[in-house]
Amino acid sequence: MTPTEYEKAVAERFRTYWPPPLYLVKHNTRLPGQKTKVRRQIDISVFEVSQAEPILIAEAKRYKRPIDAVKAGSTIALVQDVGGLPAVMVSTSGFSLAAENHLAAEGIEFLKIIVTEAKGLRWIPFVEQKFILDRAYRELSGQLIEAVRTGDAAPFLENQLPFEEWTAVLISGQSIFPDRVASILKTLARSHFDDGVRYNAIALLEDAGLLNRADIENLLQCEHDPETHELLSSL
C-alpha cells in the first residue's frame, strides 16, 4: 500500500464519521497558507456541504515507526499556517510520547490506523459503486472484501453481517476474485453456525453454477437444517 493509497483509505474512515449528504470528504486538497503565502497540500479535508472552508483537516502518514516529535512538528506547522483549523494526525504506527504531548498541546488529535485496517477501508468505494451500504456496516464490508482478496473465510464465519451487506460483499468480490469467493462460499455452506447463511451460500453457489454432484453429496452428509437439506436434495 503506497502512501497515497493509505491516505485514500483513511479518507473512508472519515466518510464513515462524516457521511453524505451533510458532509463531503475530499482527498488531496489545497488551502492558502497565511504565513507562507502559498497553497498548502492537505491529505484529507472534511466540508459541510456547500461550505468553502473545511470543518476538519487530517494528515495521514504511512511510516514503519511511530511518529516522532519532529514529524509531529511538521503537521503542527502546517495546521498553524492554514489558520489553526481543527485537525487530526493519522499514522500507521502510532506516535511517540513526545509527539502525542506536542500534538495535544496544540489541540491536534491523533489516531492510529494500521495498514491491515487500511487495506479493508480501501475497498469500500468499490462496493459502494454497486450497492448502498448501511453506514454501520460499511467498514466491515471493506474488511470482508480484503478477506476475499486473501482467500480467508474466517472473518465470514465470525460475524453476523446483515443479508444485504453480506450479499453485496460476495457479489462484489466475485466480480474480481471469483475463485476465492467460490472457496469461501463452500466453507460457509459447510461450516457456518447460522442455518440461513448456509442456505444462502448454497443458493449463491448454485446460481453461479459452482456446485457439482460431489459437493452436493458432501454437504448433504453434514447438513441438519430441514430447509437447507431440502434445497440440497432438489439440486
Side-chain angles (χ1 to χ4, degrees):
M1 174 170 271
T2 67
T4 298
E5 289 171 337
Y6 179 71
E7 293 167 11
K8 290 180 178 179
V10 170
E12 292 305 321
R13 168 61 52 80
F14 283 79
R15 288 190 180 100
T16 298
Y17 293 161
W18 289 275
L22 296 179
Y23 300 97
L24 179 63
V25 178
K26 295 183 178 181
H27 171 250
N28 193 22
T29 59
R30 292 189 178 273
L31 297 175
Q34 297 180 1
K35 300 176 182 179
T36 59
K37 307 301 181 184
V38 297
R39 297 184 68 80
R40 305 295 301 273
Q41 188 271 336
I42 308 295
D43 292 341
I44 299 159
S45 301
V46 181
F47 296 82
E48 288 184 316
V49 170
S50 301
Q51 297 299 312
E53 182 173 286
I55 61 171
L56 180 71
I57 61 174
E59 288 294 288
K61 304 301 179 185
R62 189 192 185 287
Y63 292 137
K64 293 182 179 180
R65 297 178 180 176
I67 298 293
D68 59 24
V70 174
K71 293 184 177 67
S74 296
T75 291
I76 290 168
L78 170 64
V79 172
Q80 291 173 342
D81 193 28
V82 296
L85 291 166
V88 183
M89 189 173 189
V90 185
S91 166
T92 51
S93 303
F95 302 82
S96 71
L97 179 58
E100 290 182 355
N101 290 338
H102 197 182
L103 290 165
E106 299 297 333
I108 298 174
E109 300 290 333
F110 45 88
L111 176 66
K112 180 179 179 180
I113 298 179
I114 62 175
V115 171
T116 301
E117 190 176 0
K119 285 181 177 179
L121 291 168
R122 68 177 172 175
W123 289 112
I124 295 172
F126 175 75
V127 183
E128 289 184 328
Q129 287 176 358
K130 301 175 175 63
F131 299 93
I132 298 174
L133 296 175
D134 188 308
R135 179 183 170 193
Y137 300 104
R138 69 191 300 271
E139 293 197 9
L140 177 56
S141 298
Q143 293 167 13
L144 291 176
I145 291 288
E146 176 63 14
V148 169
R149 185 187 71 83
T150 61
D152 183 9
F156 288 87
L157 295 168
E158 296 166 358
N159 75 82
Q160 299 185 41
L161 194 67
F163 178 71
E164 290 78 7
E165 278 72 27
W166 183 83
T167 304
V169 165
L170 290 169
I171 292 176
S172 298
Q174 193 170 41
S175 68
I176 47 177
F177 308 117
D179 292 343
R180 292 166 191 172
V181 168
S183 176
I184 287 171
L185 281 172
K186 288 182 179 181
T187 299
L188 296 178
R190 182 176 61 253
S191 305
H192 202 280
F193 65 90
D194 187 281
D195 296 342
V197 171
R198 295 196 309 279
Y199 184 100
N200 289 323
I202 291 167
L204 286 175
L205 285 165
E206 173 60 16
D207 288 344
L210 297 172
L211 284 178
N212 57 38
R213 177 48 52 186
D215 292 327
I216 294 170
E217 293 298 330
N218 289 333
L219 290 170
L220 277 169
Q221 291 177 13
C222 60
E223 184 54 60
H224 55 78
D225 175 61
E227 289 188 11
T228 308
H229 199 280
E230 182 179 353
L231 172 63
L232 287 164
S233 299
S234 68
L235 299 179

